[in-house]
DNA sequence: ATCACCTTGTACCAATCGGTACAAGCCGTC
DNA sequence: GACGGCTTGTACCGATTGGTACAAGGTGAT
């Protein structure tokens, strides 16, 4: 019938928003159709694997974004403290001060965790590893750096939960500032 | 047909486990029937309001448990530090070292948040208030106590997310120990 | 023993789920 | 301008969703 070459590149972020808002099982094809403007025909043409493939590609694109905008800068920053500061700025902007939710965290808590276990683990270990790397350069020993990185990532996830629970973005802002200060404190 | 007086008191915890494992929307009546051993007839006899009422009562029972076992002891403990230590022990046991997930957190992240917004807010504000109360008694000023309590609760939630994401309960144990030390440090 | 009431299993309901089939149409290529 | 290959809308599929109706059966009070 038509040809609108709806590019994957613009569909995947729309899919991401649907999964974020409704979770994996809650993201029905009806919602996906509505959010993307694509009928089932197009959807299954682009993603023959159905919902599962859509979610996999969304998770892959998220991982790519974090790699490009957070993990890599964390590793290549001339000044590790500056790299960490940039990370917190990127996180605040990515999660819209807590209004946006972390899809990977949502998946991890849900029943679909097993389906996407690899992607979930890759995301979090990638983040913790990159941050721990910066912390070592900052002068922390290996064990302390890993532990501190883990604690920081976990606090960000918790901040997203609590922010949504209390429906107050100031929670997120406060939490981010606190973790930032802890992480950037002199070893 | 039968009479088995399946008491509410034993059904609600079973419901809680189903909601925890599958989320609100993911907890289908088929799963609920299987987990409780109760047919639809009994289920809708006990909970005329359907799934929503089941979830509300589960959330209420969770709030009651936390009030009895955590918030109240936190307030009435002769030694505030002992009360806080007891809280961490209770949390570790309740969440089975991170193998169990926080239903309230799961709901807060999901699409059903608006349906249960009141219960979710009550749970978290209750927790933060009680902990902040203990921290004041420990010598922190009002603002610092609130801030520290918020940070502790949020770290516990984040620890649950990360523990499930990495499928490693040691994450939870480490995180809990860290937060405990931060919170119990001399003001 | 009777009776009213509570509990329960089963059949059933419309709506929606994820997914498939396929014809109709648009496109670039020759 | 005809062709072949993508892209798309629509109709359709069986399975499952949350929920209702109700008859059958069990229980306790009398």
């Amino acid at each position: 019938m038509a040809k609108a070459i709806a590019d994957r590149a613009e569909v995947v972020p729309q899919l991401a928003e649907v999964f974020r808002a409704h979770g994996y099982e809650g993201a029905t094809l009806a919602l996906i159709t509505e959010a993307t403007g694509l009928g089932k025909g197009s959807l299954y043409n682009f993603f023959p694997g159905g919902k599962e493939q859509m979610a996999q590609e969304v998770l892959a694109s998220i991982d790519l974004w974090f790699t490009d905008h957070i993990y890599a800068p964390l590793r290549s920053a001339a000044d590790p403290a500056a790299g960490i500061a940039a990370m917190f700025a990127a996180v605040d902007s990515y999660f819209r001060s807590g209004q946006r939710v972390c899809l990977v965290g949502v998946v991890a808590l849900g029943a679909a965790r097993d389906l996407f276990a690899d992607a979930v683990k890759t995301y979090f270990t990638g983040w913790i590893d990159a941050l721990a790397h910066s912390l070592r350069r900052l002068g922390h020993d290996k064990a302390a750096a890993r532990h501190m990185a883990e604690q920081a990532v976990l606090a960000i996830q918790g901040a997203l939960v609590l922010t949504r629970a209390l429906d107050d973005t100031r929670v997120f802002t406060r939490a981010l500032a606190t973790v930032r200060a802890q992480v950037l404190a002199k070893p």
Side-chain angles (χ1 to χ4, degrees), chain A residues 97-184:
Chain A
S97 300
Q99 292 183 273
R100 227 191 197 184
V101 116
C102 177
L103 176 57
V104 190
V106 171
V107 169
L109 283 186
R113 177 186 67 150
D114 298 354
L115 257 179
F116 307 107
D118 285 348
V120 168
K121 279 184 193 169
T122 302
Y123 173 83
F124 281 114
T125 57
W127 195 346
I128 293 171
D129 287 350
L131 182 53
H133 179 86
S134 276
L135 288 170
R136 286 213 66 179
R137 290 177 58 204
L138 219 57
H140 295 278
D141 68 65
K142 192 172 171 185
R146 266 210 76 76
H147 184 243
M148 191 176 278
E150 186 174 284
Q151 207 68 20
V153 169
L154 146 187
I156 292 169
Q157 293 296 314
L160 290 168
V161 174
L162 196 58
T163 298
R164 249 181 93 88
L166 299 180
D167 201 13
D168 182 354
T169 59
R170 289 171 303 177
V171 172
F172 189 76
T173 305
R174 273 198 297 265
L176 219 56
T178 303
V179 179
R180 198 182 114 114
Q182 284 171 354
V183 159
L184 284 177

Side-chain angles (χ1 to χ4, degrees), chain A residues 8 10 12 21 34 49 88 98 102 105 117 125 144 153 159:
Chain A
R8 260 186 145 70
E10 59 183 88
V12 171
E34 187 188 358
F88 280 101
C102 177
T125 57
V153 169

Side-chain angles (χ1 to χ4, degrees), chain A residues 41-63:
Chain A
S42 311
L43 249 16
Y44 276 83
N45 183 39
F46 282 127
F47 308 96
K51 261 179 77 172
E52 182 176 341
Q53 186 184 349
M54 299 182 207
Q56 290 285 13
E57 296 204 15
V58 165
L59 289 174
S61 87
I62 290 176
D63 196 62

